[in-house]
């Protein structure tokens, strides 16, 4: 999102720079000023080559101290990648708006794993109704900052999905809402089918997924990586929680799961977004987008077990 039309004071800009220096604002693509920009587009195209910590190669702030993070050497390439990364987020918002139709303003929307909330803010400025984000990082201050800039009222709650209990940790409740968004989240869960059940059980109208599907296969499978993708995802957790990166649901398994959870109407997005440059080819081959519309009021076994208890 280009925030330059909305950041009109030095105080507003300094607030954004504070989030950058503290490692809170770098992942989703934002432009704060002509020479201040963040986003992971560079790393998605380069496969995190040379990155040693979250935030490396994701921040350009000319002449400004950004702390311990490695800046991109090729600023032009960095900006081109992030421009296309922003297009992907716009594509998500446009797709959700298309499926919601004239009910967008009445729908409640939640995103689990929202990071800085770009999907929710993109929808809020397009007229979406109640929007709330959940993430394991505390994004309360950033949400307040973006709400003040954009004139929106997107809510946030710190919440970690617990793979042991199959709920949000510490008693945080995710209520049933009309639309749930879940982007690049399931590959971090040791059992993505349980996490998918948790999400679908709480979506009344539809669910948008941006999910790593892995290899082309006709098998219904969950695929586990042989080695960690990045060192900073190797948390040393006990088995099976140590599978926390690149866990993949095959597309046949995903479609079967959605059908059994009551979502038989599934819009499978094109594998390559039209006009996206070849540098994104590997990324788009791995990740795919889906919007599934609820057609039946089915619930998972986990829902039935939790309500029976």
């Amino acid at each position: 999102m280009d925030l330059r039309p909305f950041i009109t004071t030095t105080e507003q800009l300094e607030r954004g720079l504070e989030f950058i220096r503290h490692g809170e604002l770098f992942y989703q693509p934002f432009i704060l000023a002509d020479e201040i920009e963040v986003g992971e587009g560079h790393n998605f195209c380069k496969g995190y080559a040379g990155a040693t910590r979250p935030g490396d190669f994701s921040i350009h702030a000319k002449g400004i101290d950004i702390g311990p993070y490695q800046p991109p050497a090729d600023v032009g390439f960095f900006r081109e990648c992030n421009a296309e990364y922003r297009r992907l987020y716009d594509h998500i918002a446009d797709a959700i708006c298309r499926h919601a139709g004239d009910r967008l303003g009445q729908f409640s929307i939640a995103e689990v794993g929202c990071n800085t909330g770009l999907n929710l803010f993109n929808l809020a400025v397009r007229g979406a109704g109640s929007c709330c984000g959940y993430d394991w990082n505390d994004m309360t201050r950033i949400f307040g900052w973006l709400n003040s800039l954009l004139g929106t009222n997107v809510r946030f709650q710190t919440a970690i999905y617990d793979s042991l209990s199959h709920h949000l940790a510490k008693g945080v409740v995710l209520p049933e809402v009309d639309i749930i968004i879940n982007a690049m989240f399931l590959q971090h869960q040791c059992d993505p089918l349980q996490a998918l059940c948790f999400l679908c059980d709480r979506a009344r109208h539809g669910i948008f997924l941006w999910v790593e599907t892995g290899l082309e296969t006709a098998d219904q499978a969950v695929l586990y990586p042989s080695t960690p993708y990045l060192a900073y995802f190797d948390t040393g957790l006990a088995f099976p929680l140590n599978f926390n990166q690149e866990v993949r649901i095959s597309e046949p398994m995903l479609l079967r799961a959605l059908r059994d959870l009551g979502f038989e109407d599934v819009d499978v997005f094109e594998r390559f977004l039209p006009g996206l440059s070849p540098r994104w080819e590997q990324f788009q081959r791995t990740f795919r987008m889906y919007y599934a519309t609820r057609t039946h009021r089915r619930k998972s076994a986990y829902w039935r077990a939790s309500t029976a208890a």
Side-chain angles (χ1 to χ4, degrees):
M1 178 180 283
D2 189 348
L3 296 175
R4 286 176 293 185
F6 306 98
I7 295 178
T8 58
T9 69
T10 301
E11 182 181 5
Q12 291 169 332
L13 181 59
E14 284 298 324
R15 189 69 164 158
L17 286 170
E18 178 186 351
F19 298 138
I20 291 173
R21 293 189 187 101
H22 290 173
E24 300 172 78
L25 182 63
F26 68 85
Y27 183 78
Q28 294 176 330
F30 289 94
I31 302 174
L32 282 68
D34 289 347
E35 294 293 345
I36 304 174
E37 182 173 340
V38 299
E40 285 285 346
H42 171 282
N43 284 329
F44 288 149
C45 292
K46 288 290 189 179
Y48 285 86
T52 59
R53 62 172 63 82
D56 281 350
F57 312 126
S58 299
I59 304 165
H60 166 66
K62 187 176 180 180
I64 296 172
D65 178 17
I66 58 171
Y69 310 108
Q70 299 182 66
D74 186 339
V75 176
F77 178 81
F78 168 82
R79 284 177 157 167
E80 289 170 4
C81 292
N82 274 339
E84 293 180 308
Y85 191 25
R86 286 191 297 276
R87 282 192 59 216
L88 287 168
Y89 276 96
D90 287 337
H91 189 55
I92 292 171
D94 292 342
I96 293 172
C97 289
R98 184 171 67 251
H99 281 278
D102 58 9
R103 291 178 290 176
L104 180 68
Q106 289 74 51
F107 273 172
S108 55
I109 301 173
E111 182 172 13
V112 177
C114 63
N115 197 260
T116 45
L118 182 51
N119 282 320
L120 296 168
F121 285 101
N122 273 338
L123 288 165
V125 298
R126 286 166 167 80
S130 169
C131 294
C132 186
Y134 300 80
D135 199 272
W136 67 345
N137 297 302
D138 187 354
M139 296 295 179
T140 305
R141 299 191 309 155
I142 292 182
F143 270 57
W145 177 66
L146 287 170
N147 277 322
S148 68
L149 294 176
L150 301 172
T152 51
N153 186 30
V154 180
R155 294 173 292 114
F156 175 80
Q157 186 161 8
T158 306
I160 301 172
Y161 176 76
D162 185 349
S163 291
L164 293 176
S165 68
H166 320 310
H167 286 85
L168 299 181
K170 297 182 179 178
V172 176
V173 175
L174 175 64
E176 288 189 77
V177 296
D178 294 302
I179 297 173
I180 283 183
I181 304 170
N182 193 242
M184 293 189 280
F185 172 88
L186 292 178
Q187 78 271 17
H188 297 304
Q189 312 310 315
C190 65
D191 190 331
L193 291 180
Q194 290 174 328
L196 182 63
C197 289
F198 173 82
L199 297 167
C200 288
D201 281 343
R202 290 155 178 80
R204 286 190 293 256
H205 176 273
I207 181 168
F208 177 90
L209 297 169
W210 194 2
V211 59
E212 192 169 13
T213 55
L215 302 174
E216 294 288 351
T217 177
D219 291 334
Q220 296 178 167
V222 177
L223 308 172
Y224 289 86
S226 58
T227 57
Y229 182 55
L230 284 176
Y232 53 77
F233 280 111
D234 185 11
T235 59
L237 294 171
F239 180 88
L241 302 180
N242 55 318
F243 288 106
N244 53 22
Q245 170 70 350
E246 285 200 293
V247 179
R248 305 179 184 187
I249 305 176
S250 71
E251 185 167 275
M253 183 76 260
L254 178 64
L255 297 177
R256 162 69 187 274
L258 289 170
R259 183 179 74 244
D260 286 356
L261 289 165
F263 297 82
E264 294 185 359
D265 182 2
V266 183
D267 181 4
V268 183
F269 289 51
E270 63 272 18
R271 187 169 294 282
F272 296 101
L273 186 65
L276 214 60
S277 68
R279 65 171 67 98
W280 285 90
E281 182 175 343
Q282 181 59 43
F283 179 82
Q284 289 205 112
R285 181 175 290 115
T286 303
F287 285 90
R288 201 165 191 180
M289 298 179 181
Y290 305 81
Y291 188 94
T293 301
R294 183 175 285 285
T295 54
H296 298 84
R297 291 297 300 173
R298 299 191 189 110
K299 297 288 189 178
S300 74
Y302 302 110
W303 177 274
R304 292 195 295 273
S306 64
T307 54

